[in-house]
Amino acid sequence: MVTHFVVQSETYAEKVKRLLAQYRFRYQVRKVTAAAGCSYQFTVSGEPSAVFALLSDRQIPYQTC
């Protein structure tokens, strides 16, 4: 299963990278630039419920794609 989500800052993107690596999720991240600013789109190999629970537990704001 693949999970997609977006975080809105570089700081949160770095936190997410460390968190996903710590829990051994494979992921790809892509920087997206828009008029509203930069965001980071993640594609993670894992169940959405597990990934989103991990982000929510750490109070990392994200948006689903």
Side-chain angles (χ1 to χ4, degrees):
M1 174 122 307
V2 177
T3 303
H4 301 279
F5 63 92
V6 174
V7 295
Q8 297 298 324
S9 75
E10 186 174 1
T11 302
Y12 281 123
E14 290 301 320
K15 288 180 180 183
V16 170
K17 288 179 190 178
R18 286 193 303 270
L19 187 61
L20 293 173
Q22 178 183 355
Y23 284 87
R24 300 183 190 260
F25 283 101
R26 291 188 346 201
Y27 67 91
Q28 292 181 329
V29 63
R30 183 172 64 110
K31 183 177 180 180
V32 179
T33 306
C38 294
S39 60
Y40 297 83
Q41 182 177 12
F42 283 82
T43 302
V44 181
S45 295
E47 291 290 327
S49 59
V51 174
F52 295 149
L54 195 60
L55 296 175
S56 295
D57 287 347
R58 301 304 190 288
Q59 299 179 343
I60 297 173
Y62 65 90
Q63 296 174 344
T64 58
C65 300

